[in-house]
């Protein structure tokens, strides 16, 4: 250090390695080898029941899906560690390992609900025919498009939302599927209400992050008079214990929430890949529990009885399955839909009743039974979620109970899939975090991030994500935290680097149209291959 210089100017949190950094690579290698070993063993056990395995396509598809989660890790989670690194709350190496670990735990403890929520955004006919050329083109197109956009914004150091990128890719695939459909063919369209919600969140979440973080910092300045909290950190000196604990706690919370939410998106797509390429092993939850089938059949009988009350006299149906599929694709309910669903449930249950357990279903029937049960589940959603058929409370309870049994049969995630996604997301966090961290920590404001600013932005991000998960709102972690840092800079009078802010806003605005366009083109091209 030159004479007369101050530690705050000579010390940079990314240039001074912690003594614990030498353990990073060995820990990384041990976790990777152990995780891959478990995943490989568990996958081989599951594939024992498969009639045939297209190894090349399966390996390529899993590599791309896990690659998306890996990129997601170093693209999105860098936001969670930027504040603890630049406020000297944790050394950089420890912070990224810490965040990666809690991303890992978030994935493992997730419910899987978000996983199949993302899958449900896809055109239903592509999900039912995922083993076809169109299904394979769908999976490869949407994952490749998401990776391309994420890598591009990461290379430029721009924090953008991986979730919105993936959803944009799904919309692009849906539009391309409609574009390529023969004239007059009925294809399920895009859920534009969901798309508009996402577009609105792109607009609202940065405003929420900016405004609340700025407000929290101003309130903190009134209540907490310690001037050191609002000044640039001095050298390697950590913040006071209470605010350091708060920063580490919120970093942990954001990392865990990111893993539990974003990690599920990869799970859902991997299950789609497995169902498409190895349906005999993964299309149905092959539970050996005989009680499960009995409970399933009892729930289906209750729904048949409940639906009978709402069948109008004189209404007949010639093809029950086609009528149900039409309702699911168009998201509408007619007088014919009710008797069609009742008949379809009866036919499907009769077929399942022939077998004592789902494990004993012959491999030749697994795909068809799975598609029928999945289609029934999507139709039930029109009753208990969309309320397109008004039913009495007791009948709605019967629908919900049967819907739960249906989802248990078709919407399951093996533990090894969770471990694989957790590894990809956690390790991604530990590898490519620096570009986004530098942008958040140095390039948004004109001055160094202070302890108070870091705490305000991180607290708002954690609470906003928690509230959004509870309410089911599509809010971006990236948008809230990055704009939160900008809000604290404005509230502190630090000034903003407008070139960075403009680039971030441009990336956020372009995320949906760019990912839609890339996925559209890739799907059209891949339909020529598959």
């Amino acid at each position: 250090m030159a004479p007369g210089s101050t530690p705050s100017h000579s010390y940079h949190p990314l240039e001074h390695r912690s003594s614990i950094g030498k353990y990073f690579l060995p820990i990384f290698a041990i976790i990777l080898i152990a995780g891959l070993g478990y995943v490989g063993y568990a996958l081989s056990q599951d594939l024992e029941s498969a009639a045939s395995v297209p190894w090349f396509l399966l390996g390529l598809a899993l590599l791309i899906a896990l690659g998306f989660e890996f990129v997601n890790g170093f693209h999105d989670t860098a936001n969670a560690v930027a504040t603890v690194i630049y406020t000297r709350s944790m050394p950089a190496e420890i912070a990224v390992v810490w965040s990666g670990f809690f991303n890992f735990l978030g994935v493992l403890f997730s419910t899987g609900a978000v996983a199949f929520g993302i899958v449900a955004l896809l055109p239903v006919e592509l999900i039912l025919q995922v083993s076809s050329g169109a299904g394979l083109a769908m999976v490869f197109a949407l994952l490749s498009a998401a990776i391309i956009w994420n890598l591009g914004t990461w290379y430029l150091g721009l924090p953008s939302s991986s979730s919105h990128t993936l959803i944009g890719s799904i919309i692009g695939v849906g539009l391309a599927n409609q574009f390529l459909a023969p004239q007059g063919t009925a294809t399920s369209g895009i859920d534009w209400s969901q798309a508009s919600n996402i577009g609105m969140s792109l607009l609202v979440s940065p405003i929420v992050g900016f405004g609340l973080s700025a407000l929290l910092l101003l309130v903190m300045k009134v209540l907490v008079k310690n001037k050191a909290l609002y000044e640039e950190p001095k050298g390697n000196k950590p913040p006071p214990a209470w605010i350091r604990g708060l920063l580490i706690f919120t970093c942990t919370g954001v990392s865990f929430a990111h893993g539990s939410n974003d990690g599920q998106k990869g799970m859902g797509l991997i299950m789609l890949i497995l169902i498409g390429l190895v349906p005999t092993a993964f299309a149905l939850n092959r539970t050996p529990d005989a009680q499960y089938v009995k409970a399933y059949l009892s729930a289906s009988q209750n729904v048949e009885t409940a639906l009978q009350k709402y069948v109008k006299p004189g209404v007949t149906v010639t093809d029950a399955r086609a009528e149900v599929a039409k309702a699911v694709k168009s998201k509408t309910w007619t007088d014919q839909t009710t008797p069609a669903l009742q008949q379809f449930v009866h036919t499907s249950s009769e077929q399942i009743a022939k077998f004592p357990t789902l494990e004993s279903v012959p491999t030749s029937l697994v795909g068809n039974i799975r598609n029928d049960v999945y289609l029934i589940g999507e139709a039930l959603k029109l009753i208990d979620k969309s309320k397109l058929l008004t039913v009495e409370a007791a009948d709605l309870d019967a629908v919900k109970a049967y819907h739960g049994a249906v989802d248990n049969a078709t919407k399951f995630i093996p533990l090894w899939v969770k471990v694989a996604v957790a590894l990809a997301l956690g390790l991604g966090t530990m590898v490519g975090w620096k570009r986004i961290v530098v942008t958040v920590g140095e390039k948004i404001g004109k001055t160094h991030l202070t302890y108070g600013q870091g705490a305000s932005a991180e607290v708002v991000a954690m609470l906003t994500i928690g509230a959004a998960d509870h309410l089911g709102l599509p809010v971006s972690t990236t948008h809230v935290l990055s704009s939160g840092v900008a809000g604290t800079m404005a509230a502190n009078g630090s000034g903003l680097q407008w070139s960075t802010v403009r680039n971030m806003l441009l990336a956020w605005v372009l995320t949906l149209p760019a990912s839609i366009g890339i996925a559209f083109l890739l799907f059209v091209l891949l339909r020529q291959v598959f």
Side-chain angles (χ1 to χ4, degrees):
M1 180 168 45
S5 64
T6 62
S8 62
H9 293 294
S10 63
Y11 181 87
H12 193 284
L14 301 182
E15 293 174 357
H16 290 71
R17 294 180 63 84
S18 166
S19 59
I20 204 171
K22 61 185 177 183
Y23 300 110
F24 176 78
L25 284 179
I27 293 172
F28 184 96
I30 290 169
I31 294 173
L32 184 61
I33 292 169
L36 290 178
Y38 168 74
V39 169
Y41 172 77
L43 176 59
S44 67
Q45 294 294 108
D46 282 350
L47 291 177
E48 284 184 356
S49 61
S52 62
V53 181
W55 289 105
F56 175 75
L57 277 179
L58 179 61
L60 180 62
L62 289 177
L63 184 66
I64 293 174
L66 293 174
F68 166 75
E69 288 298 343
F70 186 81
V71 173
N72 188 353
F74 64 69
H75 191 285
D76 280 20
T77 317
N79 293 281
V81 299
T83 52
V84 291
I85 291 173
Y86 275 87
T87 57
R88 318 293 197 263
S89 297
M90 297 177 82
E93 294 93 340
I94 298 176
V96 294
V97 172
W98 182 271
S99 180
F101 176 70
F102 280 96
N103 264 276
F104 183 93
L105 290 183
V107 175
L108 290 185
F109 285 99
S110 60
T111 61
V114 175
F116 294 104
I118 286 292
V119 170
L121 293 176
L122 291 161
V124 68
E125 67 268 14
L126 290 184
I127 297 174
L128 296 177
Q129 301 170 12
V130 70
S131 58
S132 66
L136 294 174
M138 167 190 71
V139 172
F140 283 114
L142 69 90
L143 283 171
S144 299
I147 290 173
I148 289 169
W149 183 252
N150 275 349
L151 282 177
T153 51
W154 167 81
Y155 181 78
L156 296 172
L158 297 175
S160 67
S161 171
S162 293
S163 298
H164 290 134
T165 303
L166 182 61
I167 292 168
S169 299
I170 289 172
I171 293 173
V173 165
L175 290 173
N177 182 56
Q178 286 184 305
F179 175 74
L180 293 177
Q183 189 70 29
T185 303
T187 59
S188 54
I190 299 301
D191 187 346
W192 288 112
S193 63
Q194 178 68 9
S196 64
N197 286 340
I198 295 160
M200 185 60 67
S201 77
L202 280 167
L203 222 93
V204 172
S205 56
I207 298 171
V208 169
F210 187 97
L212 291 183
S213 298
L215 182 63
L216 182 57
L217 181 66
L218 293 174
V219 170
M220 188 185 294
K221 281 188 168 185
V222 172
L223 299 178
V224 184
K225 300 296 185 180
N226 187 346
K227 294 179 69 174
L229 295 181
Y230 315 110
E231 297 174 350
E232 180 179 341
K234 303 297 190 293
N236 195 26
K237 184 180 179 182
W242 70 271
I243 201 165
R244 185 181 191 185
L246 178 63
L247 281 160
I248 294 173
F249 172 73
T250 51
C251 167
T252 305
V254 170
S255 299
F256 186 89
H258 180 264
S260 67
N261 195 289
D262 277 40
Q264 292 191 60
K265 299 172 177 67
M267 289 182 215
L269 294 171
I270 286 176
M271 289 310 300
L272 206 57
I273 290 166
L274 294 172
I275 291 165
L277 296 178
V278 203
T280 52
F282 297 101
L284 283 177
N285 189 357
R286 306 294 290 275
T287 172
D289 185 3
Q291 296 304 313
Y292 172 79
V293 171
K294 289 180 181 178
Y296 179 94
L297 295 175
S298 174
S300 70
Q301 180 61 51
N302 291 339
V303 163
E304 286 184 56
T305 303
L307 288 174
Q308 181 60 44
K309 300 178 184 178
Y310 307 96
V311 175
K312 294 187 177 180
V315 177
T316 58
V317 176
T318 54
D319 188 338
R321 191 185 196 283
E323 193 66 42
V324 172
K326 178 182 174 183
V328 170
K329 289 178 182 180
S330 62
K331 293 182 174 59
T332 57
W333 199 276
T334 66
D335 291 344
Q336 284 74 30
T337 307
T338 308
L341 180 58
Q342 184 193 35
Q343 293 174 30
F344 191 31
V345 168
H346 182 78
T347 304
S348 173
S349 297
E350 275 191 332
Q351 193 173 28
I352 291 173
K354 297 175 182 177
F355 311 102
T357 66
L358 289 183
E359 188 182 38
S360 60
V361 174
T363 55
S364 59
L365 295 178
V366 166
N368 288 338
I369 289 178
R370 184 259 174 190
N371 281 352
D372 287 350
V373 173
Y374 185 89
L375 192 57
I376 288 170
E378 293 302 295
L380 294 172
K381 194 187 296 182
L382 299 178
I383 302 176
D384 64 354
K385 303 291 184 186
S386 303
K387 311 295 183 187
L388 296 187
L389 176 67
T390 303
V391 298
E392 296 173 5
D395 296 328
L396 184 60
D397 288 340
V399 169
K400 289 180 177 178
Y402 182 48
H403 198 175
V406 165
D407 284 351
N408 285 339
T410 58
K411 298 180 179 181
F412 64 100
I413 300 173
L415 179 60
W416 70 262
V417 172
K418 286 190 173 186
V419 171
V421 170
L423 276 174
L425 195 63
L427 294 177
T429 302
M430 300 179 196
V431 172
W433 50 274
K434 187 175 284 189
R435 284 181 183 271
I436 305 297
V437 164
V438 169
T439 297
V440 175
E442 298 181 25
K443 297 182 178 179
I444 294 178
K446 291 182 177 179
T447 61
H448 195 289
L449 192 71
T450 68
Y451 305 134
Q453 289 173 318
S456 299
E458 199 80 73
V459 166
V460 166
M462 187 182 75
L463 294 178
T464 305
I465 296 166
D469 284 347
H470 179 70
L471 297 172
L473 298 174
V475 174
S476 166
T477 308
T478 304
H479 294 174
V480 175
L481 190 57
S482 301
S483 58
V485 171
T488 62
M489 291 290 174
N492 205 42
S494 307
L496 296 170
Q497 295 191 42
W498 285 107
S499 59
T500 300
V501 173
R502 279 195 300 270
N503 289 338
M504 284 169 51
L505 290 173
L506 185 62
W508 295 350
V509 169
L510 291 178
T511 290
L512 275 181
S515 52
I516 288 171
I518 296 169
F520 185 101
L521 290 173
L522 285 176
F523 183 81
V524 171
L525 291 173
L526 289 171
R527 285 298 284 123
Q528 312 307 313
V529 178
F530 294 108

